[in-house]
Amino acid sequence: MTSVRRKSGKYTPMSSAVSCSRLRLLQDLLKDGGNNTPDAILCSLGIDSRYNEGCTELANYLFFGLYRPNQLDLDHISDDFAEEILDDVIVLIKAESVHLYCNPVNYGYLLPFVAYWRNLHLHCMTETEYEDEEAAEEFKISSFVSMVQDCSRIGIPYSSQGHAQKFDMFMLEKWPIIQAFALEGIGAGGFFTMMYKLMDVSEKLWQMYARLDPVSLDRLITEDLALFERQWSCFFSSLNIETQLSMQELSEAQTGEAFRTYFSHGLISSNISDKSKSRQPFALFGSHSSMEEIQNYCFTFPSEGHQIRNTGPRGTSAKHMVLQCVAPKGPLACARTYFFGSTHVPYLGNDNVQQKNTELLLLSQIYAAAVQAVLSGIKCFSYNSSINKAKDVAEQTFQRNLDSFGLTQYRNALRSKAVFSIQAVNNEGRVVALSQPESRFLIKTASMSVYDIPDLQRPGTELGSVIFSESFLESSIHIQDKDGAISSDSCFTILTSSVPRYVSWLVEDGDVKLSEQAQQLLKAEEGTCLGSLLAVGDSAQLFSSSPLCTPEEGKVVFFSEGLLFVHPQYGAVTLSRNHIKGLKLYDGESLSKVSVLYVEYESSLLPHLPYHLQSKEHFLGLALLHNTKSYRSLYSQVLQVWHGSDSTFCLQMVDAGQLSEEQTSMYSRLQIFNESPCSPALKQRETLKTVYPDLPELDRFRQHFALCSSVCDEPVNIDHLEALFPNTHISASLPETEHKVVVSVISGLPGSHKESLCDFLLSLNQDSSRWVMYRPSPDAIGFSASDLQQFLSGVVENQKQPDQRVLLMTPGYTDVLEVVQCVLSHPDPVVRSSVRIGAVSACVNPLSSYMEHRFFFPKLLEQCSQGVVSNVVFTGLTEQKHPLLQHVQQLVRSANPSAAFILADRGAVTRTADMRFILSENSFSEAHMIRARYLLYPGWAGGKFVCGSASLSISQIGLQFSQPLERALFLHHCKALKSSLKPSPFKGNIYHLRGTVRFSDSPKLMEVCVNTVTGNLTLVEKPPSADAACPPSKLLFHGVGLTEDGLKDWLRLCAKQKLMKKVRKTRKSLSSQELRSIHVNRHLDPLPPGYFYTGHQYVSFFGEKSILHPSMEQFIEEYLQEANKEIERYNRELELLDQRDLFDP
């Protein structure tokens, strides 16, 4: 059972951009050319394709999972609607257009997805028509036939991912819709598989599905990543419940059980058989994490014998473990190295200075260098997409960090053992070579493994390996400067950053006893190394600017000369005044919920501070939420002591301006860490929460990636960066403010009254010298870019006022985006910089919008395009809430959610606010409009977006003639056009004609406009021109499959009929009536000898009877002679007359 998303569901502009982007990717497959490239891709759902999985997968890709099983409930759908009705969908994708068959029931669910598709042909009956089941089935079959009529090769998405099937033509013949294709009378009358070459396009489509876009990225984050993070949460939960003693007995099998179960169960359900060793989960302890063990590891046979207590060097306890979690049905993977033990000794006074665990500290430092190397490698790859450069940067960063940690002696030893790599992974978890073009929009995994780390103090001893990896996604766009130079801007996000980078557990007895000893300071009755006890808080978060550190929650205790912080994993940390340079307390902004106590410490604190909290700035942050006991205790009990005259603390109460850049960054991270998720999807990811420094904001990355996935390699104008990325860090020059010629564009189909709107606007303008009108020539065929550009050049050259305005009316069935690109990409840079578009308004007359059923005229929706059109002016059915008006408004609103709707009967605008909208000087340049254009029409700024043509072509033919027409005949034949309209494929239909004609009853030239669908006909006297010459009549016809000869014959019917020569009569050409008349007139003529007449019959001498006169043949011959003489006389007289054809010069 399929399920359908709620009709009331919200679809963001992002979805519209992704919907168009996905469609363009599919259409690009059809533009390769060659005999192996299909002309179209067919997708039929439900019973018509026998529930083919490949078609369902394609539909879910196009409709964002609309037909995914158990997607949403169907409570709002009546039980009377069967599943077959909801699945009653056929999609045929062509290189420049799309055909969609649906029914009135599922129309409302599909419309939000398809209204943005360019050159959409919607085959759908009205609700009343659909009530006839037999007519509905015939309409589906005829629609399918008309969809494929101009194709020769059709691609079929035969198989779904993970369930590949052999392409079987005989199985296709069993599809009900293909069987119906062969029906005589309704269908095409032939076998579908014999008339068309069918080919399987499943594998090509799978590559499209693997490509990430904003919608699939959001789903990856909210579903796949949430599940991935849940496995890490299970891992931490299982280890955190262990005691110090029981943790020693943990085996590798027990530790990695969550990762292993997650991976193995996913493989079973996904039917993926990838054997890549790098794409499997593992958990290895201590010295057992050597290169050999990692490369030969098999997750199905984990070790039970390797435990924490016996996997260290020479059988001692392990000091670390390496972990990797891999998503079985996706690209996510990350590896971590975690530690057993403590890298610090809590300060308890001058008598407890001890030597730290050098082995654990060494591993931590090498791991920190690897973390920095991976992060720098990711950043480098995101900016230049070169794996070689990224590898060089990562290796240099690793070596440089070893030096900074004082591990210069390990540079040579680890040079060949540190391995950095980046892999692109598709949505099935398979590795794709970075050299492949499709890898650009795939998740990558960057990793560094430092294998077989030697202990230089004990030659021959190896400590094992450390590994760190992250899954990330990069985004890059090209930016075009004013001088034409191209630069790039890149951004990236690390998807697995919520997995803690550094974790350590206290395992050894000595570490546990030291932590317990520090916590005994709470119970000391006399003064301690931290002074006297002031307050015991409940919770606080300790963090620093270290790349290994994220805010970690623990318990804080305030003393008169220091602080004690107790963490459940790495134990107690003591901060004594002996090691503190100063304290800063920042209470945040007025609406903030957290305050931070910044602790600046001396280098003498480093031995007493956990390694991952140490930073080169020597700053710690102690965060206190305002609703906690710790915050209240600080203000009520602690500050008065620390501010006292005998206090040795240097405490400052500071505001935001007194914080350093690093401290401000730390506070920003803290706010992100503690902010509440705004959506249920994000609440699912609260199981793991981390915030690390130097990571780009996810919201900005989403904006950047949305633009990147849409424009691909098309450049972005530098002047538009502020609109695309508000408060962007990219330097963009401000647009110039000098006066420009403002162009107001008015578009509309024939019959939309756009001419009336333009005349109305000009009539209201009192300063006519400011306005110039561009009106296409009445006899112009289609849109001429060169003519418009030449017109704009003349306007700029002859510009008389600084606030010059141009009213531009688009011709016929013209794509408004084509006109916009023509204006913006004028070949003359002077004109290009002197002209800007103010607003684009589309006129829509509901009465002239549909050809039949719900099949609207070509370019109707394109003339209402989101991001281009600011206003839609409805010029018909405006006085009442007509169902047709509401239906058209629903259609247009789906295609352009941000457009202003204006009611103007026959183009007469009645509200001042509506006039301002139409004549706005800046609505086209608003930020949301610019962003929509980049997302929906990549390349528009440079005039490179290909608008494409509709499958149904509306031909335009102009005729010119000099002879007058007969008014009555012309009006009669124009009114008869509506009744002569034929159904699909509409061949020979005249839908609109416009021009100037002269009638025989008047010498004046008349302007005529006829819309066949609405039946509207207007005749207006044309004002006389200054030219004394008599201009010829001109008419421009719009229709389907029109021919010049056919239109000439139709026009001849409207003129005075030309007298034709008569044809000589012959015996065979005489009619029965003429023969009867001849006999009646001559039946009493004298009879030949031997005949007599009885009054009823003629009887011969031999008794033969006849009803015809015996001399009838003679009578006929005489009649022919007389008649032909008269015909010859008539024809001679006709030759003397001057009869001219309508189209004679």
Side-chain angles (χ1 to χ4, degrees):
M1 173 68 182
T2 58
S3 60
V4 180
R5 193 180 297 271
R6 290 185 180 275
K7 184 187 292 188
S8 60
K10 295 181 179 179
Y11 301 92
T12 64
M14 183 70 71
S15 299
S16 65
V18 176
S19 177
C20 295
S21 177
R22 290 182 175 184
L23 178 63
R24 285 196 301 271
L25 289 175
L26 295 174
Q27 290 177 325
D28 287 342
L29 295 177
L30 307 176
K31 299 177 182 178
D32 294 340
N35 295 329
N36 294 325
T37 301
D39 300 320
I41 298 175
L42 173 65
C43 175
S44 177
L45 300 181
I47 190 63
D48 286 323
S49 65
R50 296 170 63 93
Y51 299 96
N52 179 267
E53 293 181 355
C55 290
T56 303
E57 187 177 40
L58 176 56
N60 282 324
Y61 177 70
L62 289 172
F63 304 138
F64 303 102
L66 186 67
Y67 288 92
R68 188 177 297 120
N70 304 319
Q71 180 66 21
L72 286 174
D73 62 90
L74 301 175
D75 294 340
H76 61 294
I77 297 179
S78 172
D79 294 335
D80 297 335
F81 296 143
E83 175 189 354
E84 288 76 11
I85 296 180
L86 301 175
D87 291 342
D88 189 20
V89 176
I90 303 174
V91 182
L92 187 76
I93 302 171
K94 298 182 180 180
E96 292 185 347
S97 61
V98 186
H99 287 267
L100 171 68
Y101 161 80
C102 63
N103 58 58
V105 179
N106 56 27
Y107 168 84
Y109 301 99
L110 297 173
L111 186 61
F113 300 102
V114 303
Y116 306 94
W117 291 357
R118 301 194 66 78
N119 302 314
L120 172 67
H121 299 265
L122 188 62
H123 303 261
C124 181
M125 303 181 83
T126 63
E127 290 81 355
T128 304
E129 295 168 338
Y130 192 67
E131 293 176 357
D132 187 339
E133 293 185 6
E134 184 176 350
E137 284 300 315
E138 291 182 0
F139 175 75
K140 181 201 295 188
I141 298 170
S142 62
S143 298
F144 178 62
V145 172
S146 65
M147 286 181 184
V148 300
Q149 63 182 355
D150 58 346
C151 300
S152 59
R153 300 179 300 274
I154 297 179
I156 307 291
Y158 193 72
S159 303
S160 62
Q161 291 186 91
H163 297 83
Q165 304 177 48
K166 183 179 179 182
F167 189 60
D168 191 345
M169 300 279 283
F170 295 102
M171 289 299 297
L172 286 177
E173 282 288 0
K174 295 181 180 179
W175 288 13
I177 189 63
I178 289 183
Q179 290 180 336
F181 180 86
L183 293 176
E184 293 288 346
I186 305 174
F191 289 106
F192 187 80
T193 53
M194 296 181 65
M195 296 179 66
Y196 300 98
K197 180 181 178 181
L198 305 182
M199 51 190 67
D200 187 8
V201 293
S202 301
E203 292 188 6
K204 292 183 179 179
L205 294 182
W206 296 345
Q207 295 180 6
M208 300 295 103
Y209 304 156
R211 175 187 167 121
L212 276 180
D213 52 43
V215 171
S216 57
L217 176 61
D218 281 346
R219 187 181 175 206
L220 177 77
I221 292 173
T222 56
E223 297 180 17
D224 298 350
L225 185 57
L227 181 61
F228 183 83
E229 291 173 349
R230 203 170 299 137
Q231 312 313 312
W232 284 96
S233 296
C234 292
F235 161 77
F236 286 116
S237 298
S238 65
L239 260 69
N240 289 338
I241 61 174
E242 300 289 341
T243 64
Q244 173 226 343
L245 295 177
S246 63
M247 186 172 284
Q248 290 273 8
E249 303 300 320
L250 281 179
S251 67
E252 293 176 347
Q254 292 173 295
T255 304
E257 182 179 0
F259 300 157
R260 192 169 59 253
T261 304
Y262 165 60
F263 187 75
S264 59
H265 286 184
L267 284 185
I268 294 173
S269 62
S270 64
N271 295 327
I272 298 174
S273 57
D274 194 353
K275 304 298 184 181
S276 174
K277 292 291 184 180
S278 63
R279 302 291 302 180
Q280 62 174 340
F282 58 75
L284 297 171
F285 295 155
S287 299
H288 191 236
S289 61
S290 64
M291 176 189 287
E292 182 181 0
E293 295 293 343
I294 293 175
Q295 292 182 347
N296 295 326
Y297 183 83
C298 181
F299 78 96
T300 54
F301 299 102
S303 173
E304 294 282 358
H306 290 88
Q307 300 172 318
I308 294 177
R309 63 178 176 82
N310 62 15
T311 49
R314 299 180 302 278
T316 59
S317 296
K319 297 299 184 291
H320 76 293
M321 64 175 168
V322 293
L323 304 160
Q324 179 168 272
C325 181
V326 178
K329 295 189 291 184
L332 296 174
C334 79
R336 295 290 187 266
T337 300
Y338 292 152
F339 301 92
F340 305 119
S342 175
T343 57
H344 76 289
V345 178
Y347 176 75
L348 299 175
N350 296 328
D351 58 343
N352 75 317
V353 178
Q354 302 177 17
Q355 182 66 34
K356 291 181 289 184
N357 190 321
T358 56
E359 180 182 318
L360 181 58
L361 179 59
L362 172 65
L363 291 171
S364 298
Q365 291 173 324
I366 295 175
Y367 175 64
V371 171
Q372 292 279 45
V374 170
L375 297 179
S376 61
I378 290 175
K379 187 174 183 179
C380 177
F381 182 83
S382 300
Y383 280 98
N384 52 48
S385 301
S386 170
I387 180 59
N388 293 327
K389 291 182 179 179
K391 185 176 181 181
D392 292 341
V393 169
E395 291 175 350
Q396 292 170 10
T397 303
F398 180 72
Q399 296 290 331
R400 188 167 55 250
N401 276 276
L402 290 181
D403 291 341
S404 66
F405 297 148
L407 300 178
T408 308
Q409 68 275 21
Y410 277 88
R411 286 176 57 99
N412 293 331
L414 298 180
R415 189 181 302 275
S416 61
K417 297 184 178 183
V419 180
F420 176 81
S421 66
I422 295 180
Q423 291 180 329
V425 186
N426 64 15
N427 58 347
E428 291 186 343
R430 293 191 171 96
V431 176
V432 177
L434 292 174
S435 57
Q436 297 296 321
E438 59 266 25
S439 68
R440 177 180 178 184
F441 293 98
L442 298 181
I443 299 292
K444 281 86 176 176
T445 301
S447 67
M448 173 165 276
S449 303
V450 186
Y451 295 111
D452 303 332
I453 300 172
D455 187 348
L456 298 184
Q457 296 180 358
R458 288 173 288 185
T461 302
E462 290 187 351
L463 304 179
S465 307
V466 297
I467 300 177
F468 178 77
S469 71
E470 297 276 29
S471 290
F472 72 97
L473 180 64
E474 82 280 12
S475 173
S476 179
I477 59 174
H478 299 297
I479 300 172
Q480 186 171 22
D481 208 339
K482 290 185 177 181
D483 59 0
I486 301 293
S487 59
S488 63
D489 178 68
S490 300
C491 186
F492 69 93
T493 186
I494 297 179
L495 298 169
T496 51
S497 62
S498 60
V499 179
R501 294 176 182 171
Y502 187 100
V503 180
S504 64
W505 291 269
L506 297 182
V507 175
E508 297 183 353
D509 292 338
D511 294 334
V512 174
K513 288 179 180 179
L514 282 172
S515 179
E516 292 175 348
Q517 191 175 351
Q519 295 178 50
Q520 291 298 319
L521 296 175
L522 281 168
K523 302 177 181 179
E525 296 180 359
E526 299 179 357
T528 66
C529 61
L530 300 181
S532 57
L533 178 64
L534 297 180
V536 178
D538 52 355
S539 66
Q541 298 165 358
L542 187 64
F543 67 112
S544 73
S545 59
S546 167
L548 297 179
C549 182
T550 185
E552 297 172 309
E553 189 167 348
K555 180 180 179 182
V556 65
V557 182
F558 299 101
F559 290 85
S560 61
E561 297 182 1
L563 300 98
L564 172 66
F565 182 81
V566 182
H567 190 267
Q569 290 173 339
Y570 55 77
V573 179
T574 54
L575 303 176
S576 169
R577 66 173 179 82
N578 297 330
H579 306 125
I580 296 177
K581 279 186 178 180
L583 299 174
K584 288 183 181 180
L585 180 60
Y586 176 57
D587 210 17
E589 304 294 338
S590 58
L591 299 178
S592 63
K593 300 178 181 179
V594 60
S595 297
V596 180
L597 182 65
Y598 292 100
V599 181
E600 184 179 6
Y601 57 85
E602 304 279 359
S603 58
S604 58
L605 180 65
L606 293 178
H608 311 291
L609 193 63
Y611 177 75
H612 69 288
L613 287 173
Q614 300 175 16
S615 65
K616 60 182 180 180
E617 292 83 7
H618 286 194
F619 262 106
L620 289 175
L622 185 68
L624 305 172
L625 296 178
H626 290 182
N627 59 353
T628 61
K629 178 183 176 183
S630 301
Y631 177 78
R632 294 191 295 270
S633 299
L634 175 67
Y635 277 87
S636 62
Q637 305 175 43
V638 178
L639 289 184
Q640 58 184 348
V641 176
W642 286 1
H643 270 304
S645 58
D646 56 344
S647 173
T648 57
F649 277 124
C650 179
L651 175 64
Q652 291 179 279
M653 304 290 290
V654 297
D655 56 24
Q658 295 173 283
L659 296 178
S660 67
E661 183 178 349
E662 190 61 42
Q663 290 168 347
T664 303
S665 175
M666 290 172 63
Y667 188 78
S668 299
R669 288 168 51 205
L670 191 64
Q671 285 184 307
I672 297 173
F673 184 81
N674 288 288
E675 69 183 6
S676 300
C678 56
S679 67
L682 292 178
K683 288 181 180 178
Q684 298 177 8
R685 299 186 55 211
E686 282 196 288
T687 52
L688 288 179
K689 213 170 184 185
T690 61
V691 179
Y692 290 102
D694 300 326
L695 285 183
E697 295 180 5
L698 183 58
D699 289 341
R700 185 191 181 278
F701 175 80
R702 282 175 167 167
Q703 290 183 350
H704 199 284
F705 182 70
L707 188 62
C708 169
S709 62
S710 177
V711 303
C712 296
D713 294 325
E714 293 295 337
V716 174
N717 193 315
I718 193 170
D719 289 336
H720 298 153
L721 290 179
E722 183 63 30
L724 297 172
F725 306 108
N727 303 319
T728 179
H729 70 280
I730 310 172
S731 60
S733 57
L734 295 175
E736 299 177 0
T737 58
E738 73 270 11
H739 294 288
K740 294 185 177 183
V741 176
V742 178
V743 179
S744 297
V745 181
I746 307 295
S747 68
L749 300 179
S752 63
H753 302 291
K754 60 184 177 183
E755 299 86 358
S756 301
L757 176 61
C758 290
D759 294 339
F760 181 80
L761 296 175
L762 290 176
S763 66
L764 291 180
N765 182 59
Q766 298 182 4
D767 187 5
S768 58
S769 61
R770 286 183 56 210
W771 287 85
V772 181
M773 175 73 183
Y774 175 79
R775 192 189 301 265
S777 173
D779 55 347
I781 306 298
F783 170 65
S784 173
S786 59
D787 182 60
L788 174 58
Q789 290 174 345
Q790 185 178 358
F791 170 82
L792 293 176
S793 298
V795 171
V796 173
E797 183 179 352
N798 301 318
Q799 183 177 358
K800 299 178 180 179
Q801 298 189 21
D803 53 351
Q804 185 78 53
R805 299 293 299 267
V806 172
L807 192 61
L808 192 161
M809 186 178 70
T810 65
Y813 301 89
T814 303
D815 196 318
V816 69
L817 184 57
E818 190 176 351
V819 178
V820 167
Q821 291 188 115
C822 173
V823 174
L824 298 178
S825 60
H826 196 286
D828 187 343
V830 175
V831 177
R832 192 165 59 244
S833 61
S834 303
V835 174
R836 65 185 176 92
I837 296 177
V840 180
S841 304
C843 294
V844 175
N845 183 1
L847 294 173
S848 62
S849 298
Y850 293 100
M851 302 180 75
E852 67 170 355
H853 309 299
R854 296 297 185 215
F855 193 97
F856 44 79
F857 277 93
K859 298 299 179 180
L860 171 67
L861 292 185
E862 283 73 18
Q863 294 197 356
C864 304
S865 298
Q866 182 184 11
V868 177
V869 176
S870 304
N871 315 295
V872 179
V873 184
F874 293 95
T875 58
L877 302 177
T878 59
E879 297 181 357
Q880 56 184 343
K881 292 186 177 180
H882 195 282
L884 180 58
L885 173 63
Q886 294 178 335
H887 182 87
V888 175
Q889 286 182 332
Q890 178 197 9
L891 176 67
V892 175
R893 179 61 72 200
S894 299
N896 192 342
S898 61
F901 280 6
I902 298 172
L903 297 180
D905 188 38
R906 292 181 174 269
V909 182
T910 58
R911 300 195 315 165
T912 304
D914 295 339
M915 289 287 294
R916 292 196 185 101
F917 285 143
I918 296 173
L919 300 178
S920 170
E921 296 186 8
N922 53 19
S923 65
F924 183 79
S925 302
E926 291 177 356
H928 73 95
M929 298 283 285
I930 294 175
R931 180 168 177 80
R933 288 197 292 275
Y934 273 106
L935 292 175
L936 293 168
Y937 322 115
W940 70 273
K944 298 179 181 178
F945 182 79
V946 179
C947 298
S949 58
S951 290
L952 180 65
S953 176
I954 300 292
S955 57
Q956 300 178 45
I957 297 179
L959 294 179
Q960 179 174 313
F961 50 95
S962 56
Q963 302 303 312
L965 300 179
E966 296 296 319
R967 188 185 299 267
L969 289 175
F970 180 74
L971 295 179
H972 169 74
H973 286 291
C974 285
K975 293 177 181 178
L977 286 175
K978 185 172 184 178
S979 60
S980 67
L981 292 178
K982 296 182 282 293
S984 178
F986 315 109
K987 188 173 183 180
N989 287 351
I990 299 174
Y991 289 105
H992 191 81
L993 66 91
R994 187 181 184 91
T996 56
V997 296
R998 183 175 285 102
F999 295 112
S1000 59
D1001 58 0
S1002 172
K1004 298 179 180 178
L1005 205 60
M1006 307 292 291
E1007 291 184 348
V1008 60
C1009 181
V1010 179
N1011 189 270
T1012 307
V1013 179
T1014 61
N1016 187 41
L1017 187 152
T1018 58
L1019 277 175
V1020 181
E1021 181 180 339
K1022 184 179 180 180
S1025 61
D1027 190 0
C1030 181
S1033 299
K1034 297 179 181 179
L1035 285 177
L1036 181 64
F1037 293 83
H1038 301 262
V1040 178
L1042 302 181
T1043 62
E1044 186 172 326
D1045 290 340
L1047 294 177
K1048 285 183 176 180
D1049 291 340
W1050 183 84
L1051 271 178
R1052 289 187 178 104
L1053 297 176
C1054 303
K1056 184 177 181 180
Q1057 299 303 298
K1058 183 180 179 182
L1059 298 178
M1060 305 298 294
K1061 287 186 178 181
K1062 295 181 180 180
V1063 181
R1064 288 174 59 86
K1065 293 181 179 293
T1066 64
R1067 177 68 176 81
K1068 293 182 179 180
S1069 67
L1070 293 178
S1071 65
S1072 58
Q1073 181 65 30
E1074 288 179 300
L1075 293 175
R1076 193 178 301 111
S1077 177
I1078 293 172
H1079 187 266
V1080 169
N1081 293 332
R1082 304 287 297 271
H1083 74 285
L1084 296 180
D1085 282 13
L1087 296 172
Y1091 283 87
F1092 68 92
Y1093 182 53
T1094 65
H1096 294 284
Q1097 293 176 325
Y1098 297 94
V1099 183
S1100 68
F1101 180 78
F1102 300 101
E1104 296 174 348
K1105 299 177 181 180
S1106 173
I1107 60 173
L1108 295 178
H1109 194 288
S1111 303
M1112 185 62 185
E1113 289 300 324
Q1114 179 183 347
F1115 299 158
I1116 292 174
E1117 186 64 28
E1118 293 174 356
Y1119 172 80
L1120 288 175
Q1121 291 178 0
E1122 291 295 328
N1124 286 333
K1125 286 180 180 180
E1126 183 64 24
I1127 289 174
E1128 290 176 358
R1129 183 188 63 80
Y1130 174 83
N1131 288 343
R1132 283 194 300 270
E1133 293 178 355
L1134 194 61
E1135 290 176 354
L1136 299 176
L1137 295 177
D1138 183 17
Q1139 287 198 116
R1140 303 179 65 186
D1141 184 73
L1142 181 65
F1143 296 95
D1144 286 344

